[in-house]
């Protein structure tokens, strides 16, 4: 059973083919970084246009890795949201067209649920062991930062979330202030390795363990104030120190609250998800706290953390196995997860 997944919610156009065991047969990601970099952030209209240019070659690339191509595909899964509506429409319309042409079912998938289930993908070397249910999921990306209780692939409850900026957004804004360009997360990660994380004293907003919610806007302001007072770090050592301090302030808060949620809910398993889960500091901090508190920490390979379509295909398998499918005529995008407000999301 092969599912073709299509992702176009933000600034990556992606397509992948995944089998019913989670094996990734193909995984093509086309990034729009160069399109948005001059603006220091994602421009929705440009994102939609870039998806339109990339979607056909990306889908072709994903199908080329499968003998018989589209004829071998049993179903199509596409991201419905949350995300940029103009961008989502490109993937959704492509999914509808291919499902109609191939005569196979179509399922719409929630991008956040797909991130949380990406740990089940099988890519080969570097795969995390598969967690058993229930587990706590820390999802930290450019647009979202939240902690979930994942009781089963289809029972996902929101425990806490950011009240302002997302963790990835905070990395990116800090990087902009430090003159590192966009997106800054991976650069800060690299530079932080040689820095002293105690060099710049930064606040830990909402560090109060009792609240599962985050707030990162105060941290951003503190970094801006530091740059105002001391200027942009002038040498490599000072830049490394600033990056290490920023990174530690973000990842310490994320890891602390996630491990704390495991304790409060009596769930000794934590899964990291989303682009920020690629961060080496976060991975190390979560593992360190996990060992201390008896929580097993599951860290998917980086290709499964950052935006990709293999996770969409896998979340599609989950919905199909549940007997779900969507009416292509009615499938529409959403900017925010409609079920999230009620504390639940579904794959
Ligand atoms: O999940 P993702 O690929 O896209 C969204 O759904 O948002 O996450 C992108 C975000 C960006 O803010 C980027 O700076 C951040 O993840 N990111 C990182 C790292 N790699 C990507 N942040 C910190 N360290 C990294 N290694
Ligand atoms: Zn994402």
């Amino acid at each position: 059973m092969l599912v073709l997944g299509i992702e176009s919610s933000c600034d990556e156009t992606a397509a992948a083919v995944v089998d019913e065991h989670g094996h990734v047969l193909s995984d093509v990601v086309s990034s729009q970084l160069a399109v948005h970099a001059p603006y220091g952030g994602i421009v929705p209209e440009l994102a939609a246009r870039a998806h339109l240019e990339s979607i056909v070659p990306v889908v072709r690339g994903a199908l080329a890795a499968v003998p018989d191509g589209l004829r071998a595909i049993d179903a199509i899964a596409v991201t419905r949201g949350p995300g940029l509506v103009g961008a989502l429409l490109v993937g959704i319309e492509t999914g509808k067209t291919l499902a109609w042409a191939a005569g196979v079912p179509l399922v719409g998938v929630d991008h956040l649920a797909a991130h949380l289930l990406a740990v089940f993908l099988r890519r080969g070397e570097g795969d995390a062991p598969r967690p058993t249910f229930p587990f706590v999921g820390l999802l930290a990306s450019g647009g979202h930062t939240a902690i979930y209780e994942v009781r089963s692939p289809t029972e996902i409850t929101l425990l806490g979330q950011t009240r302002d900026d997302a963790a990835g957004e905070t990395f990116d804004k800090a990087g902009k202030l430090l003159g590192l360009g966009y997106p800054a997360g991976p650069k800060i990660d690299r530079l932080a390795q040689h820095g002293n994380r105690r060099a710049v004293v930064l606040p830990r907003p909402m560090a109060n363990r009792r609240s599962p919610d985050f707030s990162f806007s105060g941290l951003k302001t503190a970094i801006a104030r530091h740059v105002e007072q001391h200027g942009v770090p002038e040498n490599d050592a000072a830049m490394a120190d600033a990056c290490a301090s920023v990174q530690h302030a973000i990842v310490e808060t994320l890891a602390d609250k996630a491990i704390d949620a495991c304790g409060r809910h009596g769930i000794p398993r934590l899964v990291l998800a989303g682009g920020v889960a690629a961060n080496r500091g976060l991975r190390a901090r979560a593992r360190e706290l996990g060992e201390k508190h008896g929580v097993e920490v599951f860290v998917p390979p980086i290709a499964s953390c950052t935006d990709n379509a293999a996770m969409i295909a896998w979340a599609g398998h989950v919905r199909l196995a549940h007997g779900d499918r969507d009416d292509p005529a009615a499938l529409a995008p959403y900017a925010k997860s409609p079920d999230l407000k009620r504390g639940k999301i579904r794959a």
Side-chain angles (χ1 to χ4, degrees), residues 182-206:
Y182 172 85
K187 282 182 199 156
I188 292 180
D189 186 351
R190 187 161 33 81
L191 294 169
Q193 288 200 294
H194 308 290
N196 170 9
R197 64 192 197 191
R198 292 186 220 291
V200 183
V201 179
L202 294 168
R204 304 284 191 272
M206 303 200 56

Side-chain angles (χ1 to χ4, degrees), residues 70 103 236 254 266 337:
L70 187 58
D236 290 354
L254 291 173
S337 289

